[in-house]
Every structure is written in C-alpha cells, then in structure tokens.
Amino acid sequence: MIRWVLVALTVLTLSACTTMRLGYNSADTLIAYRMNDWFDTSGELEAPARERLDSVIAWHRREELPEYSRLLLSARERFADPTPLTPEQVLAMQKQVTQRLVRTGDKAADAFADLFPRFGLPQRKRLIARMDESNAEFTEKNIDISPAKLRKRRIDDMEDRFAFWFGKLDGAQRERIEKWADEAEPSGTERLAVRRMRQTAFLNIMDTGKTATVPETSRKLKAFFADLETPADAGVRERQRKQLQHWATLTADLINSASPAQRARIQEKIKTMSDDFLTLSRQK
C-alpha cells in the first residue's frame, strides 16, 4: 500500500500529460481506491488509512511539487546549452528525481507505520492475491512472450515516451531506439525474481509490524524504499546500474540529436510542467 502511494504520487507528478493537474487533484481518490483494492482497508481501517493518505498528499503538494518544478527548470537550462549532454549528466538528473521518491517514501513510512499492528489475515490474504496477479501479468508481458514481440513493445514504448517530448522522431532517432532495444540484456526472469524478493520483504515488515514498535516499523519501511534506489544486493545493484547507464546513453544521444524544432518543443514542455507544479503546490 505505502509503496503504491509514493509510486502513484511520482507517476502523477511526472506524468507529463495535458491532464496532469486533474490527475494530481484526483490522486487521493485514486490511491484510496487502490489501497482498499490491495489491502482491504474497508471497515475500521478506512478512516485512519484515508487520514494518513490525505496527510502525505498534502505534504507532497506543499513540499515536493515546488522541488520538482525547480528540477525541471534546472533541466531546461541545461538543455538550452548547446554543449552535448553526457550520460553522466542524465544520470545525475535521474538521481535527483529518485532521491525525491525516497523522501516521499520516508514520509509515507512515518505516516502509515502505526497502522501495521492493525493489519490482520484479511489484509495479508488480499495483498498476496494482488501480488500474485501482478506477477502473472508481469510474466505474461515480459517472459511468456516471443523475443520479437517483446522487442517491438519495448521500441514502441520508448518511441512514445520520447515522441511526447520531441514530437515526431526522425529515422535516425528511431534507429537509435531500435539499437538500444537490440543491445538490452534479457532481464524478465531476473526482474521477476527481484519483484518477488521485495514482495517477501514487504510481507515480512507487515508480519513483524504486529509486535514491533512504530519507530521500528517506520525504519524498516524506509530501508525498504531506499533499497529501490540503491539495492543492498550487489548483483541487483550492478544490473540496475547497467540498465540505467544503457538508458542514460540513449537519452543523451537522442537529446543531442534533436533538431531546433524538437529542442524548442522540449523547452516548452518543461516550462509548462514546471508552471503546473507550482500552480498545484499552491492549491489546497
């Protein structure tokens, strides 16, 4: 539940769509629905869960959205510089975003930790069922699929992401994305294993939360979220580093190849998003 809260807030914050304001302003309803769907927070848990959720969202709106606006303006200033962008600079920008995500995780951990002693068998069963459904969907999309279909989906998804910012991609840019897809190491099975490992870790926090102190549960939750940015497992950490480096190299190459018209579009998109974040941060 808590991970979904912070992931949903980040996705809504960085969704880069024309309905972003509407989406963020509806976050409380959306996340409350998902909390109940994944944890069965009906009955006596509904009111305290919603109270904590509203508190986290209000904090995120007030404290985090201005920071995202600042990060965007900093990126806009860098993209206006004609000096070629490096993968290392892309990774530095990405790290600033993931650090904000960890900060949101810390806030959510403090807010929700005292609910864990109240989680019982119904909540555990519901969560396991949703995890199983999510893993089955992941397997269908990333493992039980032909290499050709997986390659096409990866290319289509990445083209869509960059086309939002760039507008229409040219032939060379599409070829660069295809090259990225062809160079990517197959990782579906490994990613599924990591998902299951983290799901088990969260279930352990949930189980021990019945007897642990609230500060202990909060500390465990914060460590859980921090592991998403910097995995404790050396093998997982190295695979994540390689994947991020691969993505950052693609991103730098495409931005450096952008035409004047594409650069102007990127600048305008960033400015619009930054302004929207500030507007949202001032709303109650």
Side-chain angles (χ1 to χ4, degrees), residues 102 105-106 198 220-232:
V102 171
D106 287 349
R198 286 175 171 156
K220 291 177 182 178
L221 287 169
K222 290 176 181 179
F224 175 84
F225 295 131
D227 190 73
L228 300 178
E229 181 193 14
T230 307

Side-chain angles (χ1 to χ4, degrees), residues 232-245:
D233 183 277
V236 175
R237 188 168 62 250
E238 178 60 16
R239 286 193 294 272
Q240 180 171 295
R241 184 196 67 77
K242 289 182 178 179
Q243 290 168 357
L244 284 173
Q245 182 69 42

Side-chain angles (χ1 to χ4, degrees), residues 30-60:
L30 172 64
I31 298 173
Y33 171 81
R34 290 300 297 267
M35 282 197 303
N36 182 54
D37 184 48
W38 276 69
F39 275 80
D40 187 11
T41 56
S42 57
E44 64 177 17
L45 285 174
E46 182 175 3
R50 185 57 184 262
E51 178 184 350
R52 286 154 180 76
L53 171 62
D54 289 345
S55 174
V56 173
I57 291 177
W59 167 84
H60 190 270

Side-chain angles (χ1 to χ4, degrees), residues 57-120:
I57 291 177
W59 167 84
H60 190 270
R61 181 190 295 272
R62 182 181 65 253
E63 301 291 337
E64 292 301 285
L65 290 186
E67 291 300 317
Y68 283 117
S69 177
R70 181 186 62 78
L71 290 177
L72 281 169
L73 290 180
S74 177
R76 186 172 187 260
E77 181 178 348
R78 176 59 187 88
F79 294 157
D81 185 341
T83 305
L85 190 68
T86 68
E88 289 69 31
Q89 289 171 327
V90 174
L91 288 171
M93 295 178 194
Q94 170 68 12
K95 186 173 182 61
Q96 291 182 76
V97 174
T98 57
Q99 286 175 338
R100 306 299 331 164
L101 179 60
V102 171
R103 177 174 159 84
T104 302
D106 287 349
K107 186 68 176 181
D110 286 336
F112 283 93
D114 68 344
L115 280 186
F116 274 61
R118 301 168 67 175
F119 289 155

Side-chain angles (χ1 to χ4, degrees), residues 241-254:
R241 184 196 67 77
K242 289 182 178 179
Q243 290 168 357
L244 284 173
Q245 182 69 42
H246 192 211
W247 164 80
T249 300
L250 168 68
T251 300
D253 287 349
L254 290 178

Side-chain angles (χ1 to χ4, degrees), residues 74-252:
S74 177
R76 186 172 187 260
E77 181 178 348
R78 176 59 187 88
F79 294 157
D81 185 341
T83 305
L85 190 68
T86 68
E88 289 69 31
Q89 289 171 327
V90 174
L91 288 171
M93 295 178 194
Q94 170 68 12
K95 186 173 182 61
Q96 291 182 76
V97 174
T98 57
Q99 286 175 338
R100 306 299 331 164
L101 179 60
V102 171
R103 177 174 159 84
T104 302
D106 287 349
K107 186 68 176 181
D110 286 336
F112 283 93
D114 68 344
L115 280 186
F116 274 61
R118 301 168 67 175
F119 289 155
L121 186 59
Q123 284 72 41
R124 195 180 199 280
K125 285 184 175 180
R126 176 71 68 85
L127 179 58
I128 290 174
R130 293 297 178 265
M131 287 177 173
D132 289 343
E133 291 172 2
S134 177
N135 290 339
E137 181 179 357
F138 179 90
T139 299
E140 180 181 357
K141 291 183 177 180
N142 297 279
I143 299 175
D144 295 341
I145 183 173
S146 70
K149 289 183 178 180
L150 179 60
R151 176 182 184 273
K152 183 179 186 306
R153 197 189 75 230
R154 287 169 58 86
I155 291 172
D156 289 346
D157 288 348
M158 192 59 73
E159 286 184 352
D160 287 345
R161 293 176 190 176
F162 280 102
F164 173 84
W165 296 99
F166 284 56
K168 184 177 181 180
L169 301 177
D170 63 30
Q173 289 167 340
R174 291 193 298 272
E175 288 179 4
R176 180 63 185 86
I177 292 175
E178 291 176 2
K179 182 174 183 289
W180 164 85
D182 291 336
E183 292 174 345
E185 297 180 2
S187 60
T189 301
E190 293 174 346
R191 288 167 60 198
L192 180 60
V194 172
R195 283 167 64 94
R196 288 175 169 159
M197 177 182 68
R198 286 175 171 156
Q199 289 165 356
T200 298
F202 190 88
L203 285 170
N204 287 337
I205 296 173
M206 186 176 177
D207 291 339
T208 60
K210 294 180 180 297
T211 56
T213 65
V214 171
E216 286 173 340
T217 299
S218 179
R219 177 182 55 77
K220 291 177 182 178
L221 287 169
K222 290 176 181 179
F224 175 84
F225 295 131
D227 190 73
L228 300 178
E229 181 193 14
T230 307
D233 183 277
V236 175
R237 188 168 62 250
E238 178 60 16
R239 286 193 294 272
Q240 180 171 295
R241 184 196 67 77
K242 289 182 178 179
Q243 290 168 357
L244 284 173
Q245 182 69 42
H246 192 211
W247 164 80
T249 300
L250 168 68
T251 300

